[in-house]
Amino acid sequence: MDTFPPVASGDAAGPLTPSQLRELYSLMVAVRYLDISAVAWQRQGIIPGYAPELGQEAAQVGSGYAVDTTRDFVFPTYREMGVARTMGVDMVAYMSTHKATWHGGLYDPMASRLAPIQAVVAGSVLHAVGWAHGQRLAGTADGKLGVALTYFGDGASSQGDVHEAMNFAAVMKAPVVFFVQNNGWAISVPTERQVAGGSVAARAAGYGIPALQIDGDDVAVVVEATRRAFAHARAGNGPVLIEAMTYRRGPHSTSDDPGRYRSLDEERDGAGADPLERFRTRLLAAGIADEAFFAEALAAAKAEEEQIRTGIQALGPRPGTEMFDLVFQETTPALQAQAANWREESEHV
């Protein structure tokens, strides 16, 4: 499905170079290894919970690769670790969010251009449209708008917030790219049981929004499609929806048991070719990379995971007094007294 008009801007980049293709592979390996390790961290008690993304590396790395961090802003869900890694967010700071400390993580959203992780299903979509509308109202000196990139899944697409956001964005021509990772499952419910018509992309037509349904397991296709969407929105033409067809190869979260709603045979049949192995085969066949490169990429991923894990384990507990500094704009006298007492007690512990 492609209801996308020709790009009305010269902003879309050309074909990916061999160097960029190798970089994309290295990013996918880093994300794959960190994702698998994060599940192990949860089992070891290093983090209390995690939402895996096994099988969705191409969709996340490819879309994150298209972001211009000097002007764009990304609004993730709880499953966009691969996007964060691709954008260059400090991963100790990002993964600290999964320690479940109330403050929500240590990375700076303004500096990284990645909004805080959003646990509310479809909650980040409204935030993205609001930010994008603000970009249009403010304008830019060069006439090229900052674009909001917002993520949600096929399950979240049935939330009312998504429909309100798409309607508002279309009416106001907000520069936002709605990126749907259709991984086949809304927790335990398959897409066909909760998306009428079986396609999220088809819904965009109802709001006059151009849409692309793409192979979300081909990282090069994802990069090209996302760049194309960014160019369209940046030129002032309004929002675009991309539906990246992929597959969730593991549980919805570390507290989920996918064996209760699908068999291993169903998972193998539905998942198709591994996006990482698929891309590896392509690079080998084209002579763009060799076995030495793949070995180096894996070694770098393992070293990076060890550094991130060590950094997370070194984090101490957050001081409870932060609540008074960050949550309340103006604290009441009673809260000020409570904070003072808390600080005094903490100093004597």
Side-chain angles (χ1 to χ4, degrees):
M1 175 183 295
D2 185 343
T3 61
F4 200 62
V7 174
S9 165
D11 224 22
L16 292 164
T17 66
S19 176
Q20 289 174 320
L21 291 170
R22 286 190 293 269
E23 182 182 16
L24 287 167
Y25 180 86
S26 295
L27 285 166
M28 289 176 66
V29 171
V31 170
R32 168 67 62 87
Y33 197 80
L34 181 56
D35 180 67
I36 293 172
S37 298
V39 175
W41 297 350
Q42 191 275 333
R43 306 299 191 237
Q44 297 161 8
I46 297 174
I47 56 176
Y50 179 70
E53 60 182 69
L54 183 66
Q56 296 179 226
E57 297 87 357
Q60 296 204 5
V61 170
S63 55
Y65 198 75
V67 176
D68 179 351
T69 55
T70 68
R71 68 172 79 212
D72 302 327
F73 218 103
V74 175
F75 295 81
T77 71
Y78 43 77
R79 202 188 301 276
E80 271 71 61
M81 181 273 286
V83 178
R85 174 63 184 82
T86 302
M87 290 175 61
V89 177
D90 179 278
M91 294 311 291
V92 173
Y94 176 87
M95 294 301 292
S96 72
T97 305
H98 297 86
K99 286 184 70 70
T101 47
W102 68 267
H103 67 335
L106 298 173
Y107 70 93
D108 182 344
M110 291 301 293
S112 67
R113 311 301 286 178
L114 181 76
I117 290 175
Q118 175 62 267
V120 176
V121 176
S124 57
V125 181
L126 289 169
H127 299 165
V129 173
W131 183 89
H133 182 51
Q135 295 301 291
R136 186 166 178 82
L137 292 175
T140 59
D142 61 3
K144 294 179 180 178
L145 299 169
V147 177
L149 174 62
T150 182
Y151 291 86
F152 56 99
D154 48 299
S157 73
S158 295
Q159 293 281 348
D161 285 355
V162 169
H163 297 274
E164 293 173 15
M166 290 171 63
N167 183 68
F168 187 92
V171 170
M172 298 297 178
K173 287 192 175 296
V176 55
V177 175
F178 298 100
F179 195 93
V180 185
Q181 292 176 89
N182 188 339
N183 63 19
W185 293 89
I187 305 184
S188 60
V189 180
T191 302
E192 60 269 19
R193 286 181 54 191
Q194 64 87 33
V195 176
S199 170
V200 181
R203 293 175 171 175
Y207 303 100
I209 297 176
L212 295 164
Q213 187 181 78
I214 63 172
D215 182 350
D217 290 338
D218 186 326
V219 68
V221 167
V222 177
V223 173
E224 192 276 334
T226 312
R227 283 177 168 176
R228 189 177 169 196
F230 266 74
H232 178 87
R234 200 181 308 286
N237 298 313
V240 178
L241 186 143
I242 297 174
E243 183 178 21
M245 307 304 291
T246 180
Y247 195 88
R248 195 189 78 216
R249 293 170 178 263
H252 173 77
S253 70
T254 47
S255 61
D256 175 37
D257 176 12
R260 297 182 64 182
Y261 50 85
R262 72 184 184 206
S263 69
L264 286 176
D265 286 339
E266 288 173 329
E267 184 174 311
R268 293 189 190 99
D269 292 342
D274 183 324
L276 197 59
E277 287 301 315
R278 181 175 162 184
F279 194 40
R280 184 180 187 276
T281 300
R282 172 183 171 182
L283 296 182
L284 272 173
I288 293 173
D290 55 19
E291 294 295 345
F293 166 78
F294 298 128
E296 290 172 5
L298 180 58
K302 290 181 177 180
E304 181 178 296
E305 181 274 335
E306 183 176 354
Q307 177 265 326
I308 295 169
R309 173 171 43 82
T310 301
I312 291 173
Q313 290 178 302
L315 292 172
R318 304 303 301 170
T321 52
E322 280 188 341
M323 178 175 66
F324 300 97
D325 299 327
L326 303 178
V327 173
F328 301 98
Q329 182 176 0
E330 296 181 5
T331 56
T332 64
L335 286 173
Q336 290 173 3
Q338 185 178 348
N341 290 335
W342 198 343
R343 289 188 178 95
E344 184 176 351
E345 291 174 3
S346 299
E347 291 173 357
H348 291 89
V349 173

Coordinates of all heavy atoms in Angstrom, one line a residue, residues 32 54 96 127 142 154 157 251 276 289 292 300 348:
R32 N 20.2 -5.7 18.9 CA 19.8 -7.1 19.2 C 20.5 -7.7 20.4 O 19.8 -8.3 21.3 CB 20.2 -8.0 18.0 CG 20.1 -9.5 18.1 CD 18.7 -10.0 18.3 NE 17.9 -9.8 17.2 CZ 17.8 -10.6 16.1 NH1 18.5 -11.7 16.0 NH2 17.0 -10.3 15.1
L54 N 12.7 -8.1 20.1 CA 13.3 -9.1 19.2 C 12.5 -9.2 17.9 O 11.3 -9.5 17.9 CB 13.4 -10.4 19.9 CG 14.1 -11.6 19.2 CD1 15.6 -11.2 19.0 CD2 13.9 -12.9 19.9
S96 N 18.4 3.1 32.5 CA 18.1 3.3 33.9 C 16.6 3.5 34.2 O 16.1 3.3 35.3 CB 18.9 4.5 34.4 OG 18.3 5.7 33.9
H127 N 1.2 13.9 22.4 CA 2.3 14.8 22.7 C 3.1 15.2 21.4 O 3.5 16.3 21.2 CB 3.3 14.1 23.7 CG 2.6 13.8 25.0 ND1 3.2 12.9 25.9 CD2 1.5 14.2 25.5 CE1 2.4 12.8 26.9 NE2 1.4 13.5 26.8
D142 N 14.7 28.9 7.8 CA 14.9 28.3 6.4 C 13.7 27.7 5.8 O 13.7 27.2 4.7 CB 16.0 27.3 6.5 CG 15.7 26.1 7.4 OD1 14.6 26.1 8.0 OD2 16.6 25.3 7.6
D154 N 0.2 -1.8 16.5 CA -1.1 -2.1 15.9 C -2.2 -2.1 17.0 O -3.3 -1.7 16.8 CB -1.1 -3.4 15.2 CG -0.4 -4.5 16.0 OD1 0.8 -4.4 16.4 OD2 -1.1 -5.5 16.2
S157 N -3.2 1.4 17.9 CA -3.9 2.1 16.9 C -5.4 2.1 17.1 O -6.1 2.9 16.4 CB -3.6 1.5 15.5 OG -4.2 0.3 15.3
P251 N 8.0 -12.3 24.0 CA 6.9 -11.9 24.8 C 6.6 -10.4 24.7 O 7.5 -9.6 24.3 CB 7.3 -12.3 26.2 CG 8.7 -12.2 26.2 CD 9.2 -12.7 24.8
L276 N 17.9 -9.5 10.9 CA 19.4 -9.3 11.0 C 20.1 -10.3 10.1 O 21.0 -9.8 9.4 CB 19.8 -9.6 12.5 CG 21.2 -9.1 12.9 CD1 21.3 -7.6 12.7 CD2 21.5 -9.4 14.3
A289 N 30.3 -6.2 2.9 CA 30.9 -6.6 4.2 C 31.4 -8.1 4.1 O 30.9 -8.9 3.3 CB 29.9 -6.5 5.3
A292 N 34.9 -10.9 8.7 CA 35.7 -10.1 9.7 C 34.9 -8.9 10.2 O 34.9 -8.6 11.4 CB 37.0 -9.6 9.1
A300 N 32.0 -5.7 19.3 CA 31.7 -4.3 19.7 C 30.4 -4.3 20.5 O 30.2 -3.6 21.5 CB 31.6 -3.4 18.6
H348 N 21.4 11.4 58.4 CA 21.7 10.6 59.6 C 21.6 9.1 59.4 O 21.9 8.4 60.4 CB 20.8 11.1 60.8 CG 21.1 12.5 61.3 ND1 20.5 13.6 60.8 CD2 22.0 12.9 62.2 CE1 20.9 14.6 61.4 NE2 21.8 14.3 62.3

